[in-house]
Amino acid sequence: MIGLGLALILVVARGAQATVTGQEYCNPYMCITGTHDDTTSTDTYTLSASSSMSSSSNFGWAAIGFGTQMSGSPMIITWPNSDGSFTLTQRQSRGHDTPSVVSNPSRVATLQTASSFSNSSGIGMTFTLPSSSSTTNSTELIWAYGNTNPKSSSSSANIQQHVSFGTITMALLTPITNSTVSRNSDSTSTASGLARTMLIAHVVCGAFATMLVIPAAVLVPRYARGLSDSRWWFPVHGSAMGIVALALVTAAFIIAVTNFTGGFNSNHRKVGLALFLFMIGQVLLGIYVHWFRNLTGDRFRSKSGRSPTNFLHMIFGIVVVIAGFATTWEGIVEEWGIWSGTGAPSLGWKVGWVIIVGITALAYVVGLIFLLPRQRRREAARRTQAQQPTQLRPITRSFASQQRYQHLHPRNNDSPPPNYQGQKPTTYEEYERQ
């Protein structure tokens, strides 16, 4: 672009008698030209719009930061104003929140108004700052672009969230030949490439686990135990929670830790860590309750045959569901806009979350109100039957029992079994002895 060429010529001309080196990097949103003057120990940067953002009417703001992550990196943010002027502000963030103004930065940036431009040929904002005391040929930078102009010349103006960002390594000591700065195409922008693939994988694993598998694993036993005496629900519940959900949560956690910088510095990450630990604890508790408790013995069982660990397992299951929902919500409102490169998510994602959470909560409450009493009555009936003496237990009128014990069923009381001799037995045990 013509404007960028003029800025570059000014930078090179200033260092005609000095050793000036540098490099340029471009992405679909902006270009970054960085040069280093070894004689004056000064670095010069020009942040310019890409060809698709050349008009000042659709340009928001551009920024670079010195570091590899948003948290703790000194940032320089610039934007053009409607009156033809430019604003430069130096800020810093403690996490993935709005950076705050730094009044006394360690390296003060100075806007070069004469080298900056905003016209029909493009937009470019140039500034200088003292070189780092340890300038090398691998300067780590973060970059960000926002498509909403602050519409204020104040250095403390509110900055809307960026729509794309990334990290690059600038080779500021690369020689400039024939007034041409070498082009660097390296970027680890999370808006595209492998990083975006990892983001999608993290979202799919986490959302599928927290919004479907874990709630289903909790609802299945709640309904099945109230409707049937069969334990078909147990392998479904165990495999869903202990295998599928645990695997998905673990995969989402590993992807996040290994691909996204910043540590556990946001609510989404903190709740996600809690969910990961809760899942491990819940699965181990379930293994103990369903397999090992009877081996170790339990003196504190209630009349229903349940111990405190049973109730803890049920309560902890609800906690896991809530933690999963919270993790997904925080991911939607706090992290997606930062890492996706597409800005804040649409309202539809939040509405979908509310609908799923509402259906899950309603289903669980309905199960408690209508099926829990039924489950308790069925369990009480089974306990009463188990406590009866063997000879008083009711005879099941199955086809097999009618064939084997025909004389004990009301319809067949007058039909003694084949080869019967003596008094008719009254119980299965007496019949077996005969």
Side-chain angles (χ1 to χ4, degrees):
M1 295 181 292
I2 298 176
L4 180 58
L6 292 174
L8 181 58
I9 291 173
L10 289 173
V11 170
V12 175
R14 188 186 298 116
Q17 304 299 322
T19 303
V20 178
T21 56
Q23 196 173 49
E24 182 186 50
Y25 159 76
C26 288
N27 61 54
Y29 298 93
M30 58 183 285
C31 289
I32 303 169
T33 303
T35 61
H36 170 69
D37 188 332
D38 187 57
T39 302
T40 61
S41 297
T42 301
D43 293 341
T44 302
Y45 289 92
T46 298
L47 309 184
S48 58
S50 66
S51 58
S52 61
M53 299 288 178
S54 59
S55 173
S56 60
S57 62
N58 61 6
F59 187 89
W61 56 267
I64 61 170
F66 299 93
T68 58
Q69 62 183 21
M70 184 175 178
S71 177
S73 295
M75 305 175 197
I76 299 174
I77 306 173
T78 61
W79 63 86
N81 299 307
S82 58
D83 59 359
S85 64
F86 303 90
T87 298
L88 181 148
T89 177
Q90 293 186 251
R91 305 191 181 192
Q92 195 162 341
S93 173
R94 293 178 296 178
H96 293 289
D97 51 4
T98 303
S100 56
V101 176
V102 178
S103 56
N104 295 302
S106 58
R107 300 166 64 193
V108 178
T110 303
L111 178 68
Q112 301 296 310
T113 305
S115 303
S116 302
F117 55 93
S118 177
N119 49 46
S120 59
S121 65
I123 302 172
M125 296 151 287
T126 301
F127 56 88
T128 60
L129 73 164
S131 301
S132 172
S133 58
S134 58
T135 300
T136 67
N137 206 32
S138 298
T139 301
E140 301 288 347
L141 296 177
I142 59 174
W143 64 267
Y145 170 76
N147 60 1
T148 303
N149 190 281
K151 300 187 182 304
S152 171
S153 60
S154 173
S155 60
S156 59
N158 182 50
I159 303 295
Q160 296 296 317
Q161 185 171 277
H162 51 64
V163 296
S164 189
F165 71 103
T167 62
I168 59 172
T169 300
M170 296 284 286
L172 292 181
L173 301 184
T174 302
I176 297 177
T177 58
N178 299 323
S179 300
T180 301
V181 178
S182 66
R183 180 66 63 87
N184 176 7
S185 60
D186 177 40
S187 174
T188 57
S189 167
T190 53
S192 61
L194 178 61
R196 182 171 180 82
T197 301
M198 292 296 100
L199 173 65
I200 297 301
H202 170 75
V203 170
V204 170
C205 290
F208 190 65
T210 58
M211 304 302 290
L212 178 62
V213 180
I214 295 176
V218 172
L219 288 175
V220 164
R222 175 73 278 136
Y223 275 74
R225 299 176 77 172
L227 297 173
S228 172
D229 291 333
S230 173
R231 282 178 61 85
W232 65 265
W233 60 268
F234 177 69
V236 176
H237 167 76
S239 59
M241 183 70 84
I243 299 177
V244 179
L246 181 61
L248 290 172
V249 170
T250 302
F253 181 79
I254 293 175
I255 291 172
V257 170
T258 56
N259 288 275
F260 305 108
T261 60
F264 300 100
N265 60 355
S266 68
N267 291 334
H268 172 70
R269 301 178 183 211
K270 293 174 183 177
V271 179
L273 173 61
L275 172 64
F276 176 64
L277 297 177
F278 288 166
M279 278 296 301
I280 295 175
Q282 174 71 343
V283 171
L284 293 177
L285 184 58
I287 292 174
Y288 170 76
V289 168
H290 294 294
W291 277 291
F292 292 101
R293 186 191 60 191
N294 291 333
L295 299 178
T296 59
D298 197 331
R299 298 182 302 170
F300 302 101
R301 297 197 183 195
S302 65
K303 293 181 179 180
S304 64
R306 296 183 178 88
S307 70
T309 53
N310 284 91
F311 295 103
L312 181 62
H313 183 53
M314 289 184 284
I315 294 173
F316 214 58
I318 299 174
V319 171
V320 169
V321 173
I322 295 174
F325 286 153
T327 301
T328 301
W329 175 259
E330 292 295 339
I332 293 174
V333 302
E334 190 176 38
E335 297 275 352
W336 176 256
I338 295 174
W339 294 99
S340 67
T342 59
S346 63
L347 181 63
W349 290 101
K350 298 178 182 179
V351 172
W353 182 91
V354 171
I355 291 174
I356 293 176
V357 172
I359 291 175
T360 303
L362 179 63
Y364 194 82
V365 170
V366 169
L368 287 178
I369 295 176
F370 295 101
L371 295 179
L372 180 58
R374 177 185 174 91
Q375 173 188 337
R376 297 180 65 179
R377 289 194 298 269
R378 297 171 74 94
E379 291 175 349
R382 288 199 301 270
R383 288 193 301 271
T384 301
Q385 179 179 339
Q387 293 170 0
Q388 292 179 355
T390 304
Q391 62 271 20
L392 297 180
R393 293 183 187 176
I395 298 172
T396 304
R397 290 182 55 82
S398 65
F399 176 78
S401 65
Q402 291 185 47
Q403 297 301 312
R404 187 174 183 183
Y405 309 111
Q406 300 179 29
H407 64 286
L408 297 180
H409 291 279
R411 295 180 182 177
N412 301 311
N413 249 358
D414 298 329
S415 303
N419 303 323
Y420 170 73
Q421 295 180 357
Q423 184 178 0
K424 182 190 301 183
T426 59
T427 66
Y428 293 162
E429 287 76 5
E430 293 179 6
Y431 181 83
E432 293 289 352
R433 284 196 294 270
Q434 289 190 4

